[in-house]
Amino acid sequence: MRRVRRALLFTPGDEMHKIEKAAKLNVDSLIMDLEDGVALNRKAEARRTVATALRTLGFGQTERLVRLNPAGSPWQGDDLSATIDARPDGYVLPKVESPEEVRVLSTTIAAAERARGWPEGSIRLLVMIETALGVLQLRQIAAADPRLEALIFGAEDLAGDLGATRTPEGWEIFYARSAVVVAAAAYGLQAIDMIFAHLTDLDGLSRETRQAAQMGYSGKTVIHPRQIEPVQAVFTPSSEEIERAQRLIEAYAEFQAGGTGAFAWEGKMVDAPMIRAAEQTLARARAAGLFEG
Ligand code: COA
Ligand code: MG
């Protein structure tokens, strides 16, 4: 079973203080950034800092990811060679526009794994969809490589690429946000939602996160420690939801045994799709360690 990624915290790769802090926050995943969160004249410093952090800090249960610079940039090769020996759990590839970029990176990682005697495929790959071309190529990108575990939607870069203006409602990026979750589901990948840039509006963050969960997203990228808890809470089923899902599945089994596929339950029609949703709730609960069985 794939690991749970409810909140994924971005931290600039050249700021050791923030990485040390992030390592203690119990966030599901940490993304140490070498790309746009790092100034051009700090790229080398960021690679060294991330490699040192990976080698020397304890991260608890937190997944350690490194965001590379995009394919075709002058930095990606050095990003990878400077960090791979420190053995991150995975890499995040930004601004992906073709399946080849994913395969080329995966092949390079595979060679590194073989050379070091690590299990092949052990270093994970998550890709960001955040350009117009990336959205149009979603299907090919999602199917590109078995190392791929998740699609991350990036709204800010996409808006720039489209010439769109970001609004709180987000209709300008809604087509792409939907397309990412559909492609992820079609190819068995996790879908991870965009960042919420407002640092103090926690109600707005919760609202946007609930919408993401309703759309089928299973996690969201965050940029500040205070955003972790509200996001992880939305993606964790409550005890009422877990209990309701269990009762629904039991009721369905009884009706099925009696030869009935669709039935009325607590005032609503229930049939197979609702059962699949209930099973997903239990899977999320199980993954979060809240439910066994
Ligand atoms: N990761 C780890 N620690 C962080 C953090 C992050 N993303 N954002 C803030 N912190 C820490 C700060 O260092 C500070 O620690 P301290 O009290 O020990 O000094 C504390 O949390 C409170 O931070 P605050 O003062 O509220 O924020 P700030 O003004 O220092 O930073 C940002 C604001 C936006 C620069 C910062 O949140 C950040 O760097 N976010 C990530 C940016 C990024 O990676 N962007 C690229 C991907 S979109
Ligand atoms: Mg970006």
Side-chain angles (χ1 to χ4, degrees):
M1 176 141 188
R2 201 162 276 156
R3 72 176 288 138
V4 202
R5 299 186 178 96
R6 293 167 301 180
L8 300 86
L9 175 68
F10 275 112
T11 297
D14 58 335
E15 295 189 52
M16 187 54 109
H17 171 73
K18 283 185 185 164
I19 299 176
E20 282 169 353
K21 199 168 172 107
K24 298 186 193 128
L25 294 172
N26 254 319
V27 64
D28 289 340
S29 301
L30 171 64
I31 307 177
M32 290 170 270
D33 190 22
L34 301 176
E35 198 216 7
D36 288 349
V38 175
L40 293 186
N41 61 9
R42 298 271 294 169
K43 295 285 184 196
E45 173 67 25
R47 288 180 198 119
R48 280 194 294 273
T49 305
V50 168
T52 303
L54 285 167
R55 287 204 177 92
T56 58
L57 301 180
F59 291 80
Q61 298 296 306
T62 297
E63 180 182 41
R64 300 127 66 242
L65 301 173
V66 176
R67 181 164 77 167
L68 302 169
N69 282 282
S73 73
W75 305 292
Q76 193 186 90
D78 290 342
D79 292 346
L80 194 66
S81 59
T83 54
I84 195 146
D85 281 312
R87 205 171 181 181
D89 297 314
Y91 285 99
V92 174
L93 185 59
K95 301 187 177 70
V96 173
E97 299 193 318
S98 76
E100 287 76 31
E101 295 168 35
V102 182
R103 281 189 213 114
V104 167
L105 178 60
S106 180
T107 305
T108 309
I109 294 173
E113 288 170 338
R114 271 195 303 278
R116 288 160 184 78
W118 301 340
E120 185 153 344
S122 57
I123 296 181
R124 305 151 200 158
L125 207 48
L126 294 75
V127 301
M128 299 194 64
I129 303 297
E130 48 186 345
T131 65
L133 194 53
V135 174
L136 290 182
Q137 301 275 45
L138 259 169
R139 184 177 173 159
Q140 286 73 23
I141 294 167
D145 193 90
R147 194 183 298 275
L148 191 54
E149 293 203 355
L151 303 179
I152 305 175
F153 177 53
E156 312 308 315
D157 279 284
L158 179 68
D161 202 27
L162 297 176
T165 304
R166 288 289 282 117
T167 65
E169 297 74 30
W171 291 116
E172 67 285 351
I173 47 88
F174 194 74
Y175 164 72
R177 195 178 176 209
S178 296
V180 167
V181 81
V182 170
Y187 291 94
L189 305 175
Q190 290 174 341
I192 295 161
D193 195 34
M194 61 200 185
I195 62 149
F196 184 77
H198 200 302
L199 292 167
T200 52
D201 179 8
L202 296 183
D203 289 339
L205 172 68
S206 291
R207 214 175 305 122
E208 191 177 274
T209 308
R210 279 195 298 274
Q211 186 184 39
Q214 286 158 359
M215 291 175 73
Y217 279 93
S218 60
K220 188 171 177 69
T221 45
V222 301
I223 49 172
H224 191 284
R226 78 168 70 88
Q227 293 186 325
I228 296 170
E229 199 281 324
V231 166
Q232 296 199 161
V234 169
F235 291 114
T236 309
S238 66
S239 50
E240 295 78 43
E241 285 170 315
I242 295 170
E243 190 258 339
R244 187 177 181 283
Q246 282 177 287
R247 282 194 294 118
L248 181 54
I249 288 166
E250 279 166 22
Y252 184 72
E254 278 174 32
F255 277 100
Q256 279 280 321
T260 309
F263 58 97
W265 192 71
E266 297 183 351
K268 283 195 184 138
M269 190 279 286
V270 169
D271 67 357
M274 287 80 159
I275 300 307
R276 282 197 287 275
E279 279 163 354
Q280 280 186 8
T281 299
L282 294 189
R284 266 204 299 278
R286 224 175 271 124
L290 298 174
F291 172 73
E292 282 169 30

